[in-house]
Amino acid sequence: VANKTAYALDARMRPVPAGVVGELFVGGEGTARGYLGRPDLTAERFVPDPFSGEAGARLYRTGDLVRQGLDGRLEFVGRNDQQVKIRGFRIELGEIEAALAGHPTVREAVVVVREERGDRRLAAFVTGEEAGDLKAHLAERLPAYMVPASITVLPALPLTPNGKVDRRALAAMETEAATAGRAWVAPRTPLEELLAGVMAGVLGVERVGLRDSFFDLGGHSLLATQVLSRVREALDVEIPLAAFFEHPTVEGLAELAGRDAPSGAPPLVPASRDERPPLSFAQQRLWFIQRLDPAGTAYNIPGAVRLVGTLDVPAFARSLAEIVRRHEVLRTAFPEADGRPFQAVSPWTPPALPVLDLTALPVSAKDGEVGRLALEMARRPFDLARGPLLRLALARLGEEEHAALFTFHHIVFDGWSMGVLVGELAALYRAYAGGEPSPLPEPAVQYADFSRWQRDWLSGDVLAAQVAWWKERWVGAPTTLDLPADLPRPASPSGRGRRTPFALGADLSRDLQALSRSR
């Protein structure tokens, strides 16, 4: 179209390279001035044109995601309101839908995100003939993290009154998608029934068959540790995570549980606070690394949650304060006595929650400023001896949009903790915003109780046996990993790095995935 412009831009309004997905912005003659009677929507969608020399020139933010080819053509990928982030990966749902629609037996395809118990996974719904192995079809065309955990074949997709696909109805559907295309085999023994219930509870599905793979049902390593933890509590057996990866079914897990000896671990109960709680082995490792590099930030864990809708800031701050009160580890520092670190729990006081007002910034600059603030929080080192070992902030982006920023030190927080944090924050905020008391029960034990339990159990002959096992396997291991490099290895790593994007072929990708799974 004559006198029109089209750009594929990133979140900071910068053109993306060919082959990279960006949002489509259009401008030039014929571009509207805004939405009638909607100044908020106008400010969001009609933005100043940084590439035009004309005063007042604007670009319209279409919300369409496109990829520009080397020939200049723009390929439609999907909508930015269909972009999701799951376990650190940004995913375009439209790309998965297009790959599914490319299968000869599929007429229509829709992909949604299912959220259960703080975990997010992809679920696909298709219409058409009873398809073969659609997951294998997708695995040949998409990265593994984009292959949905479940694919359900429906006679028809649910529609809204105006004829569009009702995604909310799909997301709310209770399906047994993961077992679609396979005969469901019921557990045969009480042990198998118990293990099937454990798996179903962790995955948030109605049932798990005898030969259904935990990882095909949407499981991943963090959820696998939850399964093994519950099995340990119920059966007093210790099953290695690697063994579960090799036998990820109810049948395989039952064989492992019946074969393994009892763990011999004492019960985990609240410990006396008369003595200074020791560090767990994991905490001691992180404390030691911090002593080697006091200014290091490699073990700072940043996080951000986008909050859309009217936010009751006092209720939100109260929810965060209650989480810090409930979990002693978030009020713990690690000073020394006689050359040994110990856990020092501070009395509870509400943590500081700075509220940063970014509403005056242009829409195009807000995401960049949130990213800068999050990076600034994450790049400041923590003092493990003094604490606190968490930082909180709330960025106000608009009347109905905020961003909550978190940074924790890994010595008090991990990936599993993020699910606990978000789940408790949601439950507490709903209650406090509605004038209700906390609905959460008090924790039965604290992390300091676990540390004492671990130290009491893994000591003496038990610890000596564990250490001997590893020493035996480390005999002859290289002291350094020599990789080809353009410069000599420095005395200590600087931490300064750069990015070099590259693509692996399909065959090499499959070989690497097979190697990773086998090891």
Side-chain angles (χ1 to χ4, degrees), residues 119 198-199 202-203 214-215 218-232 239-248 253 416:
D119 186 50
V198 168
M199 280 198 199
V202 170
L203 291 169
F214 176 79
F215 299 103
H220 50 78
S221 58
L222 286 177
L223 293 180
T225 60
Q226 292 189 38
V227 168
L228 299 185
S229 175
R230 296 186 186 187
V231 171
R232 184 190 307 117
I239 298 175
L241 184 61
F244 186 38
F245 268 94
E246 295 170 1
H247 305 279
L253 192 58
W416 193 337

Side-chain angles (χ1 to χ4, degrees), residues 107-108 125-130 152-158 170 173:
R107 290 196 305 269
E108 302 169 288
F125 301 85
V126 301
T127 63
E129 302 171 18
E130 194 65 34
T152 305
V153 180
L154 301 175
L157 296 175
L170 284 174
M173 290 174 62

Side-chain angles (χ1 to χ4, degrees), residues 4 25 45 91 154 173 215-216 227 248 250 292 305 327 359 369 478 488 513 519:
K4 296 290 289 183
F25 288 72
R45 290 291 184 178
I91 296 172
L154 301 175
M173 290 174 62
F215 299 103
D216 287 346
V227 168
V250 170
L292 292 177
V305 178
H327 300 284
T359 55
E369 180 62 12
Q513 289 169 2
R519 304 304 294 176

Side-chain angles (χ1 to χ4, degrees), residues 304-321:
V305 178
R306 183 65 63 99
L307 307 168
V308 179
T310 303
L311 182 68
D312 184 337
V313 175
F316 185 77
R318 184 184 172 193
S319 302
L320 288 172

Side-chain angles (χ1 to χ4, degrees), residues 186-425:
R188 303 161 298 188
T189 67
L191 174 60
E192 290 173 350
E193 289 181 1
L194 184 149
L195 296 174
V198 168
M199 280 198 199
V202 170
L203 291 169
V205 298
E206 184 178 343
R207 65 180 186 177
V208 175
L210 182 69
R211 299 185 178 93
D212 294 334
S213 169
F214 176 79
F215 299 103
D216 287 346
L217 294 170
H220 50 78
S221 58
L222 286 177
L223 293 180
T225 60
Q226 292 189 38
V227 168
L228 299 185
S229 175
R230 296 186 186 187
V231 171
R232 184 190 307 117
E233 291 178 6
L235 302 175
D236 191 30
V237 294
E238 193 74 30
I239 298 175
L241 184 61
F244 186 38
F245 268 94
E246 295 170 1
H247 305 279
T249 64
V250 170
E251 186 175 42
L253 192 58
E255 182 180 347
L256 292 171
R259 188 173 63 200
D260 283 24
S263 66
L268 174 56
V269 296
S272 170
R273 294 298 192 267
D274 295 338
E275 299 180 11
R276 292 167 173 166
L279 277 62
S280 68
F281 286 110
Q283 287 179 327
Q284 184 176 354
R285 180 172 66 247
L286 292 164
W287 175 86
F288 179 76
I289 291 172
Q290 192 78 0
R291 290 296 298 270
L292 292 177
D293 184 15
T297 57
Y299 289 94
N300 287 5
I301 300 180
V305 178
R306 183 65 63 99
L307 307 168
V308 179
T310 303
L311 182 68
D312 184 337
V313 175
F316 185 77
R318 184 184 172 193
S319 302
L320 288 172
E322 172 63 6
I323 290 172
V324 173
R325 185 201 67 79
R326 286 169 49 78
H327 300 284
E328 286 182 357
V329 72
L330 298 179
R331 295 182 272 121
T332 299
F334 302 87
E336 291 180 58
D338 301 325
R340 290 181 173 273
F342 64 93
Q343 296 191 50
V345 180
S346 299
W348 174 76
T349 57
L353 179 66
V355 179
L356 313 169
D357 193 346
L358 307 182
T359 55
L361 293 178
V363 173
S364 58
K366 289 178 180 177
D367 281 347
E369 180 62 12
V370 169
R372 188 195 68 78
L373 291 170
L375 197 59
E376 189 275 331
M377 286 174 58
R379 281 180 170 170
R380 279 188 282 135
F382 286 106
D383 184 345
L384 298 191
R386 298 181 59 185
L389 302 181
L390 75 163
R391 300 187 186 107
L392 309 171
L394 182 66
R396 185 169 180 265
L397 306 177
E399 288 295 326
E400 295 192 347
E401 187 174 14
H402 294 74
L405 308 178
F406 312 92
T407 299
F408 300 87
H409 194 280
H410 192 21
I411 202 168
V412 300
F413 200 83
D414 62 6
W416 193 337
S417 306
M418 187 61 77
V420 176
L421 171 70
V422 174
E424 291 196 358
L425 185 58

